[in-house]
Amino acid sequence: MTRKIVIIGGVGGGATVAAQLRREDAESEIIVLDKGSHIAFSNCGMPYHIGGLVKNRDDILYSTEQFRKKYKVTVHTNTEVKAINRSTQRIYYQAALDAGELGFDKLILAPGASAIIPNIEGLNPQRTFPLHTISDMDNISDFIETKKPQSVAIVGAGFVGLEMVENLRERGLKCTIIDRSSQAIKIIDEDLAAIVENHLNDKGVQILLDDGLASCSNDGKTLHLNSGRKVEADLIIMAVGIKPNTELAIDADLKIGTTGAIAVNEYMQTSDPNIYALGDVVEAPDTVTGTPRHVALAWPAHRQAYIIARHLTGATASFNGTQGSAILKVFDLTVGATGLIAIN
Ligand SMILES: Cc1cc2nc3c(=O)[nH]c(=O)nc-3n(C[C@H](O)[C@H](O)[C@H](O)COP(=O)(O)OP(=O)(O)OC[C@H]3O[C@@H](n4cnc5c(N)ncnc54)[C@H](O)[C@@H]3O)c2cc1C
């Protein structure tokens, strides 16, 4: 009998698991549902489209029609899964024009994470944007085109924040980056972070550390920091982190781990063996310490997709953990990190 495999989320983890699975299994019916309008796009390319390096927007997108044909997969975009019923093995979705339900033999959760927007008094959503989805990217590009901002404050000096600084400098904006910790890029050592911070200064970026955004005024253009400092900015990029999209899993009573992400075994099965999960929504053991860690990067999602495809087709490859290896370009520097840092 043909199996029905339903995948929730169709980008980093979801599209990859669909493609990997089809390579191993020509028979199963594979159905991907994504609440966004695009699947299999390159999140990593978004800052560079905003900066103008990737001129053609289509270069970071993958045609849904092509994906359907190439992998013989059914894809429903603009379709949000609202609930999972484990006992009847059905999911319930809401699409633009209709609502419906689908049965599954195996379910794969790849709903990723959402950008955190802190509840800050006076923040104006018309000029404050995260960068997590294609619509976020389009909103930022449209704002730059139509409102012609001269200055930007980037809140958060992590990977996305720093990529945005470089790309918005490229667009000619005066950049200020704000972070409440004492260094940029928390996952590297302090002395290396100092090199990055000096380089940002050399490139004309103001970097304010040990300081957080307390409130905004003046139509969201004046940022008041915890220290009492004020920053003026026409545009704010909120890059303070993400939280895993665990609502469906929590409602379905699947086990959530100590980091707040979904707990899975080495084959990426959740506490229900018919339901797998991968990518930004799961935690995995750290390779060094073995303790659960939430690492939101493309490599673990891709590797986990392979593990799930293998497991669903009878093989026993397992996911043994993550080191969080990552690499980042900051203007003329390349910053790499792997493993853990010592915290004093
Ligand atoms: C700006 C940016 C730059 C990045 N750069 C890098 C990089 O250089 N290197 C790197 O390794 N990683 C990078 N990442 C991280 C990487 O993109 C993610 O780790 C990876 O995409 C995770 O895959 P995922 O499938 O878990 O989540 P996603 O790729 O985010 O996909 C989740 C999908 O699920 C959909 N969804 C959510 N809930 C539902 C629901 N209820 N019903 C239907 N659909 C739903 C969402 O619409 C989304 O399309 C970057 C991320 C961003 C935002």
Side-chain angles (χ1 to χ4, degrees), residues 6-18 30-41 43 62 64 67-68 73-82 91-96 98 102 107-113 132-135 245 248:
V6 172
I7 304 172
I8 304 176
V11 187
T16 314
V17 77
I30 303 172
I31 303 168
V32 177
L33 304 107
D34 199 295
K35 67 178 180 181
S37 30
H38 299 277
I39 61 155
F41 61 83
N43 309 52
Y62 195 100
T64 303
F67 193 87
R68 277 191 190 111
V73 165
T74 304
V75 180
H76 298 288
T77 50
N78 300 309
T79 304
E80 181 170 2
V81 176
K82 295 290 202 182
I91 57 109
Y92 299 85
Y93 64 82
Q94 175 71 56
D98 67 321
L102 270 178
L107 180 66
I108 302 174
L109 304 179
H132 200 76
T133 64
I134 293 291
S135 341
N245 291 328
L248 286 171

Side-chain angles (χ1 to χ4, degrees), residues 11 46 57 125 133 146 157 165 206 224 241 280 334:
V11 187
M46 293 193 296
R57 181 176 177 273
T133 64
T146 58
V165 164
Q206 185 185 28
H224 302 269
D280 290 358
T334 304

